[in-house]
Amino acid sequence: RYHLSWVDVVHITLFNLTHNPQVRPNSGSNRLKNDDPTGQFSSSEHGPQEYGDSRIYFHYKADVSKFIDKHWSYFWTKSRGETWVNSASSALSTNSTENVPEDGRFESGKAKYNKNGMWALTDDLRFPSSYDSPQQQKSRVITYTFADDGSLILLPSQASGRRKRRTDVVPKSSSVRSKKPRAPGTPGTPIDGPGLLSGYYDGDYGSSTSLAHSKRNTGRGKRESKNSWSISMWPDIDNPPGPAHMSREETHAATQFVIESDRMTVWNDKGYRMAKASHGVETGAWYFEVDVLQPVRPEFNLRIGWSQISGELNATCGYDVFSYSVRAKPSTRFHAAIGSPYGEEYGPGDTLGLLIYLPTLDDDEKQDLADRKWHPGEKYRRFIYSRPESQRPYNADSETPPLPVLSGSELVYFKNGKCLGPAFQKLYLGKYYPTISSYMGGKVKVNLGPNFKYPPPATWTNNTIIRPITDLEYVAPAPSSSAPLATESAP
C-alpha cells in the first residue's frame, strides 16, 4: 500500500464516516454511549449533522480524530505524537474550500454555518488519489504490505529510513520554470529596476512543487545523514538600500499579488497568496501598521503577520513553520497551519498594529543566521538546514522543525490602538518580514513608519525601544570608478 499523508488519512476518514454512519444525521439521541470512556475526544458538537447543503458534517475531534485513533494501525506503523490531533485539524483547514477555492477537499461548517469544528467532504464520491497531480501520482511509492488482521507491515526496502516527501536534487535535465515578466507600468512592477537576485536566481521560489538544487550545511548541522533532523529552507537576504516598501521580488511576493504604485497598497484577487515587505528584522522590537481598506470582493479575507524568507508565497501567512498570522474573520491566529481563537475580528476601517519582539542573540544564534545568508555571486537556491537527531527534544513529534526557539520572543497585535495581548511566543530563530496574505480581494495599505495612526508604547521587554521598519532604511554608497558595475554577470 502507498504511504499516506495527513490529508489522505483525514479524507479517508471522512469518506468512511460519510458512507458508513453509525447513527442517522441530526439524531443526537442516537449517539453511541460509552464509545469514548477516557473523554479524550469529547466535544459539545459531533456528527453526523446536515445543515442544508446536502453534505454530512463531522466534528474534527469527536468524530474524525476518534476514528483515526481507533484505526491507527491501518494508516501507519509510526507511533502517535503528542500533537497528532492538531495535525489532523491543520490538514482539514489547509485543504478546505476557503484556502483552495478551485479544488478544496473539505467544507468548513464554521465558515458556512458557524458550526465550530464541523467538517464535510466537498465531494463525497471522490477518492483521495483523484486530487493528486500527475507528478504526485508518479512519486507515490508502495511502502507497506498487510498482516492477516489488516494492519500494516513496513516493507524491508522502506525500513531503513523515512521516505522524503521532496527530492533534494533536481536532475540536470529538469527545466526550471520561469516567471512571466510583467508589462511595464502595471501594478506590481518591480520598483528599482533589476531585482537583487537578477542573474543569480535558480529555482521557482514560493512554489509548493519547487525542488532543491543543492544542499548547504549550517552552523547547527555540519552534514546531513540518515540520522539527521532537517528542513528545506531558502537563504536569507540582506536588506536592500532605499525606502522600505512591500516588495515585488520573486523571493518576497507571489506573482498574482498586486502591489500598487504607492508600494504600500496591496491585494490579491483569488485564493490566499502572500507578499512581504522589502526589509526584515532579526533582533529588537519592531512595529508596523495596516489600514484595512474596502475589499475588491465581498467574500474577502486577510491574514496579517510576520514571515521568514522561506514562508510559502503561494499559500497564506501562518501556513508553515516559517510564518505567523492572525485572520480577519473569524479572528484566528495561525502558525504551521494550526489555528486557534485570538483577539477581535477586524475589517474595513480598522487599523491593525503588529509588534515583534526578538531578544538579543547570543554568539551561536548570530552565527546560525550568518550561515543562512545568501552571498552575491552564488546561485540563489534551497539548502538543507539540519541538526543531529540526538538534539531533537524527546517529546517532539515528526512535524517539529529543527529550528532553534527564541526564549522571550513574542508577537503582539493592536486593534485601533488597543493591545490584544501576545498572539505568539517562543518564535523560531530567523529573519522576519512584515507580511500580508489576501484572499478574494482583501485589500490593505501598509504603514512601515515612522508616523503611525496609533503609536505603540515607547519601549517593550527589557526597556527595548520599539522602532518602525523605516529605521532599517539606508543609502547605498556610490560605487568607485574602479568597482565593477552592479549589472555585470556573476563570475
Side-chain angles (χ1 to χ4, degrees):
R1 201 211 67 188
Y2 292 133
H3 169 78
L4 298 178
S5 66
W6 266 109
V7 67
D8 293 327
V9 169
V10 170
H11 190 139
I12 291 169
T13 296
L14 279 174
F15 190 93
N16 277 272
L17 291 172
T18 301
H19 292 283
N20 300 287
Q22 298 185 38
V23 296
R24 294 175 55 194
N26 301 351
S27 55
S29 60
N30 292 334
R31 182 74 174 170
L32 295 179
K33 299 183 184 297
N34 300 323
D35 57 352
D36 183 20
T38 66
Q40 180 182 2
F41 306 106
S42 62
S43 172
S44 59
E45 299 280 354
H46 61 76
Q49 300 288 338
E50 290 183 349
Y51 301 124
D53 61 359
S54 76
R55 297 184 176 92
I56 302 178
Y57 287 78
F58 297 88
H59 193 268
Y60 84 95
K61 188 175 180 182
D63 303 302
V64 175
S65 297
K66 185 168 68 174
F67 184 97
I68 295 171
D69 183 68
K70 182 177 179 180
H71 300 91
W72 189 273
S73 63
Y74 295 93
F75 294 126
W76 291 299
T77 57
K78 66 182 181 181
S79 59
R80 297 166 179 78
E82 289 188 1
T83 61
W84 72 267
V85 174
N86 289 339
S87 298
S89 175
S90 67
L92 287 162
S93 61
T94 304
N95 295 275
S96 68
T97 53
E98 183 183 7
N99 283 330
V100 191
E102 298 84 1
D103 205 20
R105 301 189 188 204
F106 310 121
E107 199 74 38
S108 168
K110 170 65 177 176
K112 294 189 70 173
Y113 303 106
N114 200 31
K115 297 295 183 179
N116 285 322
M118 301 300 290
W119 293 89
L121 290 174
T122 304
D123 184 344
D124 63 13
L125 296 181
R126 288 184 66 176
F127 293 105
S129 57
S130 69
Y131 289 89
D132 283 356
S133 66
Q135 182 176 356
Q136 289 172 319
Q137 292 173 2
K138 291 179 182 179
S139 65
R140 284 191 180 266
V141 174
I142 296 175
T143 309
Y144 305 101
T145 186
F146 294 96
D148 292 338
D149 63 356
S151 60
L152 299 177
I153 300 175
L154 190 65
L155 291 173
S157 60
Q158 302 295 327
S160 60
R162 182 180 176 184
R163 178 176 171 269
K164 291 188 177 181
R165 300 170 71 179
R166 293 181 183 173
T167 310
D168 289 329
V169 179
V170 172
K172 292 183 179 179
S173 60
S174 297
S175 61
V176 176
R177 289 187 296 165
S178 61
K179 290 182 167 49
K180 186 183 294 184
R182 296 175 181 268
T186 58
T189 302
I191 62 173
D192 295 316
L196 175 67
L197 303 178
S198 178
Y200 301 106
Y201 187 72
D202 186 8
D204 189 9
Y205 185 89
S207 170
S208 59
T209 58
S210 60
L211 303 176
H213 285 230
S214 70
K215 299 178 183 180
R216 174 189 292 184
N217 292 317
T218 72
R220 292 280 170 165
K222 297 306 180 185
R223 67 184 181 90
E224 187 188 16
S225 70
K226 69 178 183 179
N227 293 320
S228 70
W229 178 27
S230 61
I231 191 171
S232 177
M233 299 178 66
W234 291 92
D236 283 329
I237 303 170
D238 286 331
N239 291 333
H245 57 275
M246 294 302 294
S247 175
R248 267 309 320 171
E249 292 281 358
E250 57 191 334
T251 52
H252 286 60
T255 55
Q256 302 91 333
F257 222 94
V258 177
I259 298 179
E260 298 189 358
S261 58
D262 64 357
R263 311 179 186 182
M264 297 296 182
T265 303
V266 300
W267 55 279
N268 177 56
D269 188 47
K270 294 186 178 180
Y272 271 118
R273 295 293 187 270
M274 188 160 74
K276 306 166 190 169
S278 55
H279 291 59
V281 299
E282 297 176 346
T283 184
W286 299 88
Y287 184 84
F288 74 100
E289 274 185 348
V290 175
D291 288 330
V292 183
L293 307 179
Q294 287 298 322
V296 177
R297 300 169 63 172
E299 63 269 35
F300 83 100
N301 216 329
L302 294 160
R303 298 190 190 183
I304 300 175
W306 300 79
S307 175
Q308 296 188 34
I309 199 71
S310 294
E312 177 65 56
L313 297 178
N314 290 317
T316 180
C317 186
Y319 167 78
D320 49 39
V321 299
F322 301 109
S323 60
Y324 304 80
S325 72
V326 169
R327 182 173 60 188
K329 52 178 186 175
S331 184
T332 312
R333 55 188 168 193
F334 283 94
H335 172 63
I338 297 174
S340 61
Y342 168 80
E344 303 173 0
E345 289 192 2
Y346 58 92
D350 289 325
T351 297
L352 205 64
L354 290 87
L355 167 70
I356 188 170
Y357 172 72
L358 303 169
T360 302
L361 305 180
D362 62 30
D363 290 343
D364 285 344
E365 291 163 342
K366 291 177 182 177
Q367 186 60 51
D368 191 318
L369 292 182
D371 288 336
R372 301 185 196 182
K373 284 190 176 181
W374 172 75
H375 302 287
E378 66 182 22
K379 287 292 185 181
Y380 187 74
R381 53 183 67 169
R382 285 185 183 269
F383 66 94
I384 299 298
Y385 180 100
S386 63
R387 296 166 68 183
E389 184 67 34
S390 60
Q391 294 183 12
R392 186 196 295 262
Y394 75 93
N395 59 345
D397 62 21
S398 59
E399 306 299 324
T400 301
L403 304 172
V405 173
L406 284 178
S407 179
S409 59
E410 62 181 353
L411 299 183
V412 179
Y413 285 73
F414 298 77
K415 179 184 174 184
N416 300 328
K418 173 186 174 182
C419 181
L420 302 179
F424 304 96
Q425 296 177 312
K426 296 183 178 180
L427 313 181
Y428 290 121
L429 174 69
K431 182 175 183 177
Y432 286 91
Y433 298 82
T435 302
I436 308 296
S437 287
S438 168
Y439 171 80
M440 294 295 179
K443 189 173 184 179
V444 304
K445 184 171 184 178
V446 180
N447 179 3
L448 301 176
N451 300 313
F452 296 111
K453 184 183 294 185
Y454 299 99
T459 61
W460 205 248
T461 305
N462 296 327
N463 291 319
T464 304
I465 295 175
I466 297 177
R467 303 168 64 188
I469 300 299
T470 50
D471 274 7
L472 298 166
E473 297 174 352
Y474 68 98
V475 177
S480 63
S481 58
S482 59
L485 294 176
T487 55
E488 288 184 354
S489 301

